[in-house]
Amino acid sequence: MDMEQNQSEIIDHFIKQASVAASNASALASIITEATSHPLLFAFSEILALPNVLQLDSSENSVYLDMLQLFAHGTWSDYKSNAGRLPQLVPEQILKLKQLTVLTMADTYKVLPYDQLMQELDVTNVRELEDFLINECMYAGIVRGKLDQLQRCFEVQVAAGRDLRPAQLGNMIHTLSNWLSTSENLLVTIQEKIKWADSMGEIDKKHRKDVEEKVEEVKKSLFKVG
């Protein structure tokens, strides 16, 4: 909860800065660099959605919009593939992008082999990788899991979500709609079972009452005979 609150406050801070900058492309470029370097910020879609930020696409600073999109949806490998047309990253941005890369992998697989992680993160040995996962990921609160040195893998337990790509939104809405429909059907089934159980309870009570009345009648008849 604390992390989510911090994220929200930081996002609000950069949104206000971007609003003040208005259409000043140079100022917006600086804000984007600062936001993508911030050690506690891992979500960028709200900044990316700002109209004046999107207008960078038609300015000489359009590469900063591309950089913001990279941090919203991309990975370290994506940066390496497009480094020639993107601003050079400072060390804080490199660290951030590698953290986001772990989140992307953790969202896809719950067991991450060390070899794959080292390749994706440009890490040369297991000690360096484990230090990164512990100090920069788990201690940062963006992922929780278990390091398995014997199997040479990282078992993901919980991971923070990344910004959704535009194409993913439709799939998520479809998934949530299906879940809602299934939940509603399940609720109807449960309500029907409750009604059935209640009716059976009434039948059982009536049956028990009939039996008790018959027992009383038998007792009375026996008493008269006696």
Side-chain angles (χ1 to χ4, degrees), residues 5-18:
Q5 183 175 351
N6 288 338
Q7 290 274 301
S8 179
E9 291 173 355
I10 296 166
I11 290 169
D12 286 344
H13 166 74
F14 284 114
I15 287 177
K16 289 175 182 177
Q17 280 198 327

Side-chain angles (χ1 to χ4, degrees), residues 21-210:
S23 298
N24 187 328
S26 179
L28 288 172
S30 296
I31 292 168
I32 289 172
T33 300
E34 184 182 352
T36 52
S37 302
H38 196 289
L40 299 179
L41 184 59
F42 296 91
F44 305 93
S45 58
E46 292 182 66
I47 302 171
L48 184 58
L50 294 173
N52 57 333
V53 171
L54 292 173
Q55 287 174 3
L56 286 174
D57 192 35
S58 57
S59 75
E60 61 183 10
N61 287 306
S62 61
V63 291
Y64 287 92
L65 177 60
D66 294 335
M67 183 174 74
L68 184 58
Q69 291 172 330
L70 171 72
F71 276 81
H73 309 301
T75 64
W76 175 241
S77 293
D78 293 330
Y79 173 74
K80 290 191 297 179
S81 299
N82 298 278
R85 63 178 187 83
L86 290 170
Q88 184 173 355
L89 301 185
V90 299
E92 292 82 3
Q93 289 174 308
I94 293 173
L95 170 61
K96 172 66 59 63
L97 197 51
K98 289 186 176 183
Q99 290 172 312
L100 292 169
T101 298
V102 172
L103 290 185
T104 294
M105 297 174 68
D107 186 51
T108 307
Y109 305 102
K110 295 310 175 188
V111 177
L112 307 179
Y114 278 2
D115 291 339
Q116 184 180 1
L117 282 165
M118 287 191 287
Q119 180 179 350
E120 291 293 328
L121 301 174
D122 276 343
V123 173
T124 57
N125 60 72
V126 170
R127 176 61 183 274
E128 184 182 355
L129 172 65
E130 291 184 335
D131 285 347
F132 178 84
L133 292 172
I134 293 171
N135 298 324
E136 309 299 349
C137 295
M138 287 193 277
Y139 283 174
I142 61 173
V143 68
R144 187 166 70 242
K146 176 185 176 183
L147 300 174
D148 189 334
Q149 294 180 331
L150 184 62
Q151 299 296 325
R152 288 174 57 87
C153 65
F154 177 53
E155 298 176 5
V156 180
Q157 296 170 342
V158 180
R162 290 200 64 180
D163 294 307
L164 288 175
R165 296 176 183 269
Q168 291 177 298
L169 186 57
N171 291 333
M172 175 166 283
I173 292 174
H174 179 69
T175 300
L176 289 175
S177 296
N178 288 339
W179 175 83
L180 180 60
S181 177
T182 301
S183 299
E184 289 174 344
N185 291 336
L186 180 60
L187 179 60
V188 170
T189 301
I190 291 172
Q191 289 173 335
E192 289 175 350
K193 287 185 179 298
I194 290 173
K195 288 180 181 179
W196 178 83
D198 288 341
S199 65
M200 292 303 294
E202 290 298 324
I203 292 172
D204 184 60
K205 283 164 59 178
K206 185 177 182 304
H207 177 69
R208 191 162 55 244
K209 184 179 179 182
D210 291 343

